[in-house]
Amino acid sequence: MPDDALGLGLDMPQQAKPVAAGGAAYRVLARKYRPQTFAELIGQGAMVQTLGNAIKRDRLAHAFLMTGVRGVGKTSTARLIAKALNCIGPDGQGGPTIDPCGLCEPCVAIAEGRHIDVIEMDAASHTGVDDVREIIEAVRYSAVSARYKIYIIDEVHMLSKNAFNALLKTLEEPPGHVKFLFATTEVNKVPITVLSRCQRFDLKRISTELLARHFADIAAKEAVGAEEEALTLVAQAAEGSVRDGLSILDQAIAHADMEGDGTVTASQVRDMLGLSDRGAIRRLFGLILAGDAQAMLAEAKSQYNLGVEPLAMFAGLLSEVHRLTLAKIGAPRDGALDAAAATVVDDFADQLSFSNLHRLWQLLLKGQEEVGRALVPLDAADMALLRVIHAASLPDPGKLAKMIAQGSFNAASPTSAPTALDIPPPTTVQTLMPANFDALLERLSREGYVSLEMTLRDVVRLVEYSPPLLAYQLAGPVVPDFVAELRDALAKITGTRWDVEEREGPAQPSLLEKERAQADADRHAIMESPLVKAAFAAFPEAELLDSDTEETKWSKRA
């Protein structure tokens, strides 16, 4: 109601609409940079080539289905196909082409969403059989001004079962002037009877590297400075979706404008996306490894008070275990980590064994399920985290089986089981290491690395044995990849990466050299005994034979 009708006599100012610098309403990047040609559609080269070949050979299907995660270009591809099929070229004489001109009336009208023969329908709001019946009735009539009448149905999986059934006959045998273009994020919900009548294209997630380059081009067009690391973080957060990434980039540009010279920096993007909170998760993870229950509970409560939900806390811990496991197998570094965080991750990965990491994963995953079902999530989170700490002190099933077999585990006496944490604190994390070099050789032999054990025994002179460090000198030849094989074997039997290096300085004799020296000493002692001297004096032609020589064996048989 106007103000004068209320008798106020006030001229209230109208609320101004936000406008861009040029006077036009601002268009978000996701809309502004929607692909207008197949050349601008990134990451879908195989699909574009297939479509191009089909158009050149005039082997066009009557129905296409585009599937993939959000924001990879399904609807954009459908519109590009509509352009490609209806383009007539700038001179009005062109035919279907994989490179629509973008200048003719059909191309312009389709791009602006106003072409009368290109009908877009959102299946989420048109799910019923009546909506499909309208399409069935309309396909009988030829296109008004275009070469093909095209129906683009977005989120087609939302159609009801009856709607799908009503569409089947028309979809299988449509008139020659009609093409159907379907898009969906959940292809598993589309009936197989519909899938079998369509030419299907699975649009891939866009790689982080390709997204980062794409965002760099857009930032340059927008005259916005952006650090390479910042764009990589945006691309990672997009999870393969161009649209999601452009929305995040829009937000990052606005965030940068508020805080400085307009340059999008990595630190700003981390803060904006909440990546800095991973430091708190990593701190909680370190307290769990240290077995400090009170400090761990206090940290969890602190994060809860700051607004971190228990489920999100467990998701962060699981993500941390996943990251450590990938780091341990040598996967490429996570670009979302700064240098300090990457150092911490590498340190944890070096110190934790694979069995530790797998056990942590299972315990945290079980805890996450319990927290999700609990009436009081924080209490359930506390109990689950305490279980992670205390379950770590138990031997793993394989170790327990060995203890039972050896008779060293007494179920009635819990103190007979190891009491030290199987997952030690980060500064002192150690896996169960062989106590000395001889024990290491025995372990290698027991685990099946017999040739390595023999090489170490025969030609390796020990300089230093401080697990996980092994320094040595060679007393003979070894195979070319000896060091690599030894590192791999030590990592597998101990769960920790070892430093294996050849070093100058004082060294112990090899075990073979020790055995030979001991044999020579024993022989000298025997030769010096009075009884043996008397025997040689009586029988000058006699020889002293080793107990395992062939002559001795034959003499024993005789």
Side-chain angles (χ1 to χ4, degrees):
M1 182 179 294
D3 292 328
D4 55 0
L6 296 175
L8 299 177
L10 299 175
D11 293 328
M12 299 297 292
Q14 297 293 320
Q15 184 176 3
K17 294 182 179 180
V19 295
Y26 176 71
R27 296 179 68 199
V28 296
L29 297 180
R31 292 186 59 195
K32 186 176 181 180
Y33 292 98
R34 182 187 289 272
Q36 298 301 316
T37 66
F38 281 105
E40 296 175 3
L41 187 68
I42 65 172
Q44 311 298 343
M47 180 197 67
V48 173
Q49 182 178 357
T50 302
L51 283 172
N53 293 340
I55 291 173
K56 289 177 182 178
R57 298 174 183 176
D58 194 21
R59 300 179 63 88
L60 290 168
H62 56 267
F64 298 88
L65 175 70
M66 273 67 68
T67 179
V69 299
R70 68 201 182 281
V72 292
K74 299 183 297 297
T75 307
S76 295
T77 299
R79 292 175 181 171
L80 290 175
I81 293 175
K83 279 187 183 181
L85 298 183
N86 284 325
C87 178
I88 59 175
D91 57 358
Q93 304 299 316
T97 173
I98 196 64
D99 297 311
C101 66
L103 301 174
C104 63
E105 174 57 26
C107 285
V108 174
I110 292 171
E112 295 176 356
R114 57 177 176 82
H115 199 292
I116 192 172
D117 292 319
V118 178
I119 301 95
E120 291 194 33
M121 186 181 89
D122 177 20
S125 55
H126 299 81
T127 62
V129 67
D130 290 338
D131 300 303
V132 172
R133 189 176 291 118
E134 293 180 9
I135 297 176
I136 296 172
E137 293 295 327
V139 297
R140 295 184 299 174
Y141 303 102
S142 298
V144 175
S145 62
R147 185 178 296 111
Y148 293 103
K149 179 179 284 189
I150 295 177
Y151 289 90
I152 299 175
I153 303 181
D154 199 11
E155 298 301 337
V156 69
H157 67 274
M158 299 292 287
L159 290 178
S160 66
K161 182 179 179 181
N162 290 336
F164 273 124
N165 290 335
L167 186 61
L168 282 179
K169 185 63 176 177
T170 302
L171 185 61
E172 185 172 20
E173 299 177 0
H177 61 271
V178 174
K179 302 291 182 184
F180 289 97
L181 305 176
F182 301 139
T184 179
T185 54
E186 300 185 50
V187 70
N188 58 302
K189 293 184 179 179
V190 178
I192 189 65
T193 51
V194 173
L195 291 177
S196 64
R197 289 167 169 82
C198 299
Q199 190 170 100
R200 173 175 168 176
F201 292 103
D202 290 84
L203 277 68
K204 302 181 295 183
R205 289 180 185 268
I206 314 303
S207 68
T208 299
E209 295 77 12
L210 192 56
L211 278 177
R213 290 200 299 269
H214 182 58
F215 297 156
D217 292 340
I218 291 177
K221 293 176 182 177
E222 293 289 310
V224 173
E227 295 178 355
E228 182 178 351
E229 186 179 359
L231 295 176
T232 299
L233 291 173
V234 172
Q236 289 177 333
E239 297 181 340
S241 168
V242 181
R243 184 175 62 242
D244 286 9
L246 289 175
S247 298
I248 296 171
L249 182 59
D250 240 336
Q251 183 181 356
I253 292 172
H255 188 75
D257 283 339
M258 297 292 291
E259 296 196 1
D261 59 359
T263 299
V264 179
T265 65
S267 61
Q268 291 171 344
V269 173
R270 284 195 182 91
D271 290 339
M272 183 188 75
L273 297 177
L275 297 178
S276 57
D277 291 339
R278 292 183 181 177
I281 290 293
R282 201 163 290 118
R283 185 166 60 250
L284 178 63
F285 186 77
L287 293 172
I288 292 172
L289 297 187
D292 192 338
Q294 292 187 0
M296 180 272 295
L297 291 176
E299 178 64 27
K301 184 64 177 293
S302 174
Q303 293 191 32
Y304 180 78
N305 291 337
L306 290 173
V308 181
E309 292 297 324
L311 269 179
M313 191 185 305
F314 271 82
L317 291 170
L318 284 166
S319 177
E320 193 67 18
V321 174
H322 177 254
R323 184 178 294 106
L324 290 175
T325 306
L326 293 183
K328 190 165 186 66
I329 65 174
R333 172 186 162 185
D334 186 349
L337 297 177
D338 56 26
T343 300
V344 174
V345 168
D346 289 342
D347 186 46
F348 279 149
D350 285 340
Q351 296 165 345
L352 289 169
S353 67
F354 283 110
S355 60
N356 294 152
L357 291 168
H358 294 323
R359 184 184 300 186
L360 277 169
W361 178 266
Q362 294 298 330
L363 290 169
L364 290 171
L365 194 62
K366 177 66 174 175
Q368 186 184 44
E369 295 174 358
E370 294 175 355
V371 170
R373 298 193 304 264
L375 295 177
V376 185
L378 182 60
D379 292 352
D382 288 345
M383 297 301 293
L385 292 175
L386 287 171
R387 183 173 63 217
V388 173
I389 288 179
H390 293 117
S393 64
L394 299 175
D396 60 52
K399 193 180 300 181
L400 182 61
K402 290 182 180 179
M403 294 171 63
I404 294 174
Q406 296 170 358
S408 58
F409 178 78
N410 183 3
S413 176
T415 57
S416 62
T419 57
L421 279 176
D422 197 27
I423 305 174
T427 55
T428 59
V429 176
Q430 292 289 336
T431 51
L432 187 58
M433 295 291 184
N436 51 48
F437 189 60
D438 289 339
L440 178 67
L441 295 181
E442 181 182 352
R443 182 86 171 271
L444 284 168
S445 178
R446 189 169 65 247
E447 298 290 342
Y449 298 97
V450 179
S451 61
L452 271 177
E453 183 266 340
M454 292 178 63
T455 301
L456 291 174
R457 182 178 297 277
D458 292 349
V459 299
V460 168
R461 294 170 176 163
L462 193 63
V463 176
E464 181 181 354
Y465 180 79
S466 302
L469 168 66
L470 177 62
Y472 66 92
Q473 295 174 10
L474 292 177
V478 294
V479 295
D481 54 352
F482 163 70
V483 175
E485 286 186 7
L486 181 57
R487 283 195 182 122
D488 289 344
L490 294 178
K492 288 178 181 178
I493 68 174
T494 64
T496 301
R497 288 185 287 183
W498 282 58
D499 290 328
V500 179
E501 60 183 42
E502 191 170 2
R503 184 192 298 173
E504 299 293 332
Q508 302 177 20
S510 70
L511 293 182
L512 180 60
E513 290 174 332
K514 288 182 179 179
E515 291 173 0
R516 288 175 175 172
Q518 184 61 46
D520 290 342
D522 292 343
R523 183 183 183 87
H524 179 73
I526 292 172
M527 294 296 292
E528 292 299 318
S529 69
L531 182 59
V532 173
K533 284 185 176 181
F536 273 101
F539 303 97
E541 302 295 328
E543 292 183 23
L544 182 64
L545 301 178
D546 292 335
S547 59
D548 57 350
T549 60
E550 288 298 320
E551 291 86 342
T552 306
K553 293 177 183 177
W554 281 108
S555 63
K556 288 180 180 177
R557 292 177 186 175

